Amino acid sequence: MKRSCLKNSLLLLLFLLSYTGNAAIQLPALVSDGMVLQRDQPITLWGNADPGETVKITFRKKTYTTQTNPDGEWNIQLPPQKAGGPYTITINDIILNDILIGDVWLCTGQSNSELPIRRVTDMFRDEVTTYSNPQIRLVRIPLGYNFHGPQKQLANQVQWHPLTPENAWEFAALGYFFAKDQYEQNGVPQGMISAGIGGTPAQAWISMEGLREFPEYQNEARYYSDDSLVEEIRRTGHKKNAAWSQLLYQQDKGINEPVKWYETNYNDTAWQQTTLFSGEWRSDTSGPQNGSHWFRKEIHIPAGFLSDEMTVRLGCIVDADSVFINGRFIGTTAYQYPPRIYPIPPGTLKEGTNQITVRLISYAGYPGFVEDKPYKIISGHQEISLEGNWKHQAGVRMPASRGGTTFQYIPTGLYNSMIAPIQHYTLAGVIWYQGESNTGRPYEYRQLLTALIHDWREKWNNPQLPFLIAQLPNFMQDPEHPAESNWATLRDAQLQVTHTIPHTALAVTIDAGEWNDIHPLDKKTIARRLSLQAQRIVHNKNITADGPIYESMQTEGNKIILSFRPGTNEFRPVQQLKGFAIAGANKKYKWAKATIQGNQVIVWNEEIPHPQHVRYAWGNTPEANLYNVQGLPASPFTTDK
């Protein structure tokens, strides 16, 4: 009996030793089936196993071997490869299939960098539903934040997907169109890593060391490094939001009266007549009317209008909404930015008189319906406008909602969780579309963006890592006279960064935005201009990728003569140049006349006899039309530094 027990113990020990000696390899999330690896550069593969474990990689009939370090970490660098595939990579007993070699791009920033294709289908539905290309692969890194320092693993698992109509809808539109254009230009596989998070400031994407010149932001990150504090803030925030929502529900007359305000038999004769865009119902002398607002409208459906596929469009709404037709709930959206596009179930509408009701919730701002958006019911090629007169009644007035902290906005958090774990992955370059959340402090943005670029280049161990920057597009309205603009100031900071840091480039988008939407639909134009810059600075193509770039000025009498960088200064003819303002020594700008003269632009205003400064397209949504013959716009600029 004793011999049997001893024998069994020895067998168990040998089994455990054998198992430990061949511990499973752990791979980072990006290193998986279907991935795209960067061509023409050394390729790093990395992961974990037991300390001292032998790791063997087999790729294209060659074998590469290493051992894990005392922390169980390993990495192997494969020699540069030409574009091609699909290939198989074997790492010990793991087989990775369908691997392509091509160009890999990190597309990151805030919401416009991650805005999915489904949000731009008004403009691009036909293109998206008919395009497939297995040579283009996309992967999205989901939200994660950490204030304890750089993480080695992504917080969530990810998966590479080939580009098909079926899986395109959730991919970032900017990366989608950029990858398509790059593939059409270069004919090599494209890998897009999307890592954008809405509303995030630049400092959230920079490491603690990278923020060394910003002690305020470093200390803000340190403040949130206490997990118990973060959890308490999160719990308190959730409690505040829940209490606000519960009180709203309990006090809203529209859902608590015996006849609900969305029901067809509700009597709304005492309600106030208004329009969706009127300012009267939004606020009074004490400020914005937060809480719930109810709107009702009778609509007439003519014979022959009804079909099996009908949609109600309600533009964009600040902040949340619920929509009812003939007493039936149709759809809801919880925040202000998405377009309201709600399918109408068959049988909801009828010929003749119908009732549509909108319950609008305002959290902490000026409630409203965004102008110049579609407000209509659509049936095939027929539509009925929903603009004009509505009836309005406030359901309940509430104090501003005071929710919790948005932790993804805190310095270093996104860098630690979403960027640090992928810094072994070799890239062709970075596409950076961000800045909206830094317009409150635009004068520090040049230094912040410079810090981010240097920080990432250091972490990737690539001092020439290309950065392609999407300049902020036109957004919001401007006064009638020339005025200061935080958005213009930040655009200028983006321009100056690309003029002073090598291997960076700017896609000017001053004509690609929408004054009433911080998320413009036309991501294709922006992606195309970024792709042009990639052709120039990454692929070394001899092309014009910039619009007119201001270089210098000289004064002649009451005129200022502007010169532009050679190669960008062959201007597109225009009947009347717009967008220029001029000032004397007092820097009080007035709108200017301007004309093209050869490769220069002459600017003047008869009321300013001794001009010293010029600004172009300096505003939120400037009316400006200086282009080169390639159709690329000039960046907003100022000669006043």
Side-chain angles (χ1 to χ4, degrees), residues 312-343:
V312 59
R313 299 290 304 265
L314 286 166
C316 293
I317 298 175
V318 184
D319 294 293
D321 64 280
S322 295
V323 179
F324 306 84
I325 295 179
N326 291 332
R328 183 174 182 177
F329 173 73
I330 299 300
T332 185
T333 303
Y335 64 110
Q336 70 181 77
Y337 294 116
R340 273 47 173 191
I341 307 174
Y342 300 131

Side-chain angles (χ1 to χ4, degrees), residues 148-150 203 205-215 217-218 221-222 411-412 415-416 420 423 450-452 454-456 458-459:
H148 293 290
Q203 56 267 27
W205 297 97
I206 305 175
S207 75
M208 185 66 83
E209 308 84 60
L211 289 171
R212 63 179 65 90
E213 295 180 19
F214 300 90
Y217 293 140
Q218 286 185 321
R222 293 183 181 108
T412 76
Y415 165 81
N416 288 335
Q423 285 172 350
T450 298
L452 183 143
H454 291 327
D455 187 36
W456 288 20
E458 179 182 333
K459 299 303 191 299

Side-chain angles (χ1 to χ4, degrees), residues 430-468:
V430 175
I431 300 167
W432 179 253
Y433 191 157
Q434 191 277 337
E436 299 93 333
S437 290
N438 288 92
T439 53
R441 298 171 65 170
Y443 291 100
E444 72 177 7
Y445 192 76
R446 179 176 177 178
Q447 189 180 4
L448 265 177
L449 184 54
T450 298
L452 183 143
I453 292 170
H454 291 327
D455 187 36
W456 288 20
R457 285 177 171 177
E458 179 182 333
K459 299 303 191 299
W460 256 275
N461 194 28
N462 182 356
Q464 297 182 351
L465 179 65
F467 270 75
L468 312 177

Side-chain angles (χ1 to χ4, degrees), residues 558-562 564 571-582 590-598 600-606 614-617 623-626 637:
N558 70 337
K559 293 181 172 64
I560 289 180
I561 302 172
L562 304 175
F564 295 78
F571 303 120
R572 185 172 74 183
V574 61
Q575 191 169 25
Q576 180 184 358
L577 273 182
K578 299 178 181 180
F580 287 90
I582 196 168
K590 295 185 177 182
W591 294 123
K593 296 178 181 179
T595 186
I596 294 170
Q597 190 172 94
Q600 296 176 315
V601 173
I602 315 299
V603 185
W604 74 98
N605 182 308
E606 302 294 351
V614 169
R615 283 178 173 175
Y616 171 72
E623 188 179 6
N625 60 352
L626 181 62
F637 66 86

Side-chain angles (χ1 to χ4, degrees), residues 532-545:
L532 277 173
Q533 295 289 11
Q535 294 294 95
R536 182 178 67 87
I537 74 165
V538 178
H539 304 306
N540 300 312
K541 301 289 182 65
N542 184 21
I543 61 171
T544 299

Side-chain angles (χ1 to χ4, degrees), residues 36 55 75 80 141 174 265 298 445 484-485 490 497 536-537 631:
V36 182
V55 180
N75 71 76
I141 297 177
L174 186 70
N265 61 334
E298 283 191 355
Y445 192 76
E484 297 301 324
S485 163
L490 193 134
V497 165
R536 182 178 67 87
I537 74 165

Side-chain angles (χ1 to χ4, degrees), residues 520-538:
L521 294 180
D522 191 8
K523 293 296 186 288
K524 188 173 184 177
T525 292
I526 300 174
R528 170 61 179 159
R529 291 175 184 169
L530 288 163
S531 182
L532 277 173
Q533 295 289 11
Q535 294 294 95
R536 182 178 67 87
I537 74 165
V538 178

